[in-house]
Amino acid sequence: MFSPLNSILGIFSRDIGIDLGTANTLVLVRGVGIVINEPSVVAVEKRAKRVLAIGAEAKQMVGRTPADIVAIRPLRDGVISDFDVTEKMLEYFITKVHDQALLPIPHRPRIVIGIPSGVTEVEKRAVHDAAMNAGAREVFLIEEPMAAAIGSGLPITESIGSMIVDIGGGTTEMAVFSLGGIVVSRSIRVAGDEMDEEIIRYAREKYNVLIGERMAEELKVSIGSAFPLTEEKTQMLRGRNLITGLPTEIEVSSVEIREALANPLDQIIDALKTTIDETPPELVSDLMQYGIALAGGGALLGNIAARLSQETKMRCYVSEDPLTCVVRGAGQVLEELDTLHKIITPTRGRR
């Protein structure tokens, strides 16, 4: 468990937990806490292939760059799509942690990285190699639903069943746990990104208006919901009219955005029902008693817990600070490597 000695060792060693997300990357330093929470975006100059900006600064460039600069997200659907850029992004965040240190760094850090449960061995190796090349001494990989469950405080090592649904940017992960292992799990590449794309498609088909990813995300966050709201909301949708080619502004309601989000939400619900159907009856009984925890940025969608509760006939609830569950779980693994070693994949590197 957490102790003052672990805290001191964490400051000296700078052991790091990373939630390498499609939308955001969070970094936690053992004994210190979360020190970085920035978008997983990198701005690159096309010709020279030179990295110009990473994180929050790069996200400001999305959709606003000149022709010779491209703002890219090196992770798509929860996996690395551009190895070189991901390596540079990891190196930037690890270096940033070191720069914030008040004490000298005696050796390369140990790193625990959360990865989607459905990734292949090749994709695992890509994450490992990127972290090693970015300066890690030792890399441990933990499946994101496991990390999210630990960060949510679920009793995964006990004999009772518990369940997490982690709705991220690129993937939705769901898993049932018992006795420190995953009994049933499912990973689908339908999550926050697909919700944004559906809002863009809805605006184009219903209003003949083309909007960008940032506008779609803003609508999702501010008035998006999975279940009727007590008081429905409205917001201005701004984009380019596809008929006239001129800028336009239209007031849309939360009812319309909910209609736009229907398809990805239905896919998440279907996957959740299938996962429950494959769960042993004894564990289903436990889930009925203790409920299903929701984590990830998608858990912040309005009334999503109420919608899932209605669909599954079980209590669903949003974990405390769902955006940081995975990285907090990775941090707890760093604290308890000896007792939690069986739930992670160690990959040793240079000393």
Side-chain angles (χ1 to χ4, degrees):
M1 299 298 290
F2 185 86
S3 69
L5 177 59
N6 274 338
S7 177
I8 294 170
L9 290 174
I11 292 173
F12 274 99
S13 68
R14 313 307 287 184
D15 288 345
I16 296 170
I18 298 177
D19 173 10
L20 193 61
T22 303
N24 294 285
T25 296
L26 289 83
V27 181
L28 175 147
V29 175
R30 181 159 69 98
V32 178
I34 297 171
V35 295
I36 292 173
N37 182 356
E38 295 195 32
S40 303
V41 182
V42 180
V44 180
E45 187 179 10
K46 283 185 180 178
R47 294 176 185 173
K49 295 185 178 179
R50 180 168 56 94
V51 173
L52 301 177
I54 296 174
E57 184 181 353
K59 187 173 183 180
Q60 295 298 319
M61 301 180 182
V62 173
R64 298 176 174 178
T65 58
D68 61 332
I69 298 175
V70 57
I72 62 174
R73 293 167 64 179
L75 292 101
R76 302 300 295 182
D77 297 330
V79 297
I80 292 178
S81 59
D82 190 317
F83 174 80
D84 293 334
V85 174
T86 301
E87 184 180 317
K88 288 182 172 64
M89 186 174 73
L90 275 172
E91 184 177 4
Y92 167 80
F93 288 134
I94 293 171
T95 301
K96 191 171 182 179
V97 169
H98 286 188
D99 290 344
Q100 293 173 353
L102 299 178
L103 297 169
I105 309 301
H107 53 69
R108 301 151 70 91
R110 291 185 302 178
I111 298 180
V112 173
I113 303 180
I115 58 172
S117 59
V119 301
T120 65
E121 290 301 318
V122 172
E123 290 166 338
K124 287 181 181 178
R125 175 56 57 180
V127 174
H128 160 260
D129 289 348
M132 291 300 300
N133 292 336
R137 167 173 61 101
E138 194 173 9
V139 178
F140 299 90
L141 304 180
I142 180 171
E143 294 183 343
E144 283 181 357
M146 181 70 78
I150 295 172
S152 298
L154 298 185
I156 63 169
T157 58
E158 298 180 17
S159 59
I160 62 173
S162 54
M163 185 173 188
I164 191 86
V165 178
D166 180 11
I167 308 172
T171 58
T172 295
E173 314 266 348
M174 48 197 75
V176 178
F177 309 92
S178 182
L179 294 172
I182 295 179
V183 180
V184 182
S185 69
R186 182 164 266 92
S187 175
I188 60 172
R189 297 189 174 184
V190 176
D193 288 347
E194 282 67 28
M195 294 181 188
D196 294 343
E197 290 170 8
E198 287 297 312
I199 293 173
I200 293 171
R201 184 188 61 79
Y202 184 87
R204 184 175 62 247
E205 293 182 356
K206 182 169 183 177
Y207 294 110
N208 284 316
V209 174
L210 181 63
I211 63 173
E213 292 181 7
R214 292 178 59 167
M215 183 76 249
E217 185 179 15
E218 184 181 327
L219 290 167
K220 178 185 69 179
V221 171
S222 58
I223 64 173
S225 65
F227 205 66
L229 302 173
T230 305
E231 184 176 341
E232 301 293 351
K233 306 173 185 177
T234 61
Q235 184 170 319
M236 301 309 295
L237 176 151
R238 297 179 299 277
R240 187 178 79 239
N241 189 297
L242 291 171
I243 298 174
T244 67
L246 298 175
T248 188
E249 191 174 56
I250 298 172
E251 186 176 48
V252 295
S253 70
S254 52
V255 176
E256 292 176 287
I257 301 302
R258 188 161 59 248
E259 182 182 340
L261 297 176
N263 184 48
L265 284 172
D266 286 345
Q267 292 184 61
I268 291 171
I269 290 167
D270 287 344
L272 177 56
K273 288 180 177 178
T274 302
T275 305
I276 294 173
D277 183 55
E278 295 173 356
T279 301
E282 287 295 332
L283 298 184
V284 171
S285 175
D286 292 336
L287 299 182
M288 293 177 69
Q289 181 176 356
Y290 299 106
I292 299 171
L294 307 181
L300 297 175
L301 184 68
N303 278 357
I304 190 168
R307 173 74 184 277
L308 296 183
S309 295
Q310 182 193 58
E311 296 284 351
T312 61
K313 311 302 181 188
M314 297 183 192
R315 182 177 71 92
C316 297
Y317 62 94
V318 179
S319 300
E320 182 181 353
D321 197 5
L323 284 169
T324 65
C325 284
V326 172
V327 76
R328 286 189 286 114
Q332 192 168 336
V333 168
L334 282 171
E335 300 286 350
E336 305 175 54
L337 276 176
D338 291 339
T339 57
L340 296 177
H341 65 90
K342 71 176 182 176
I343 67 174
I344 57 180
T345 305
T347 51
R348 298 188 181 278
R350 301 179 294 271
R351 291 279 175 178

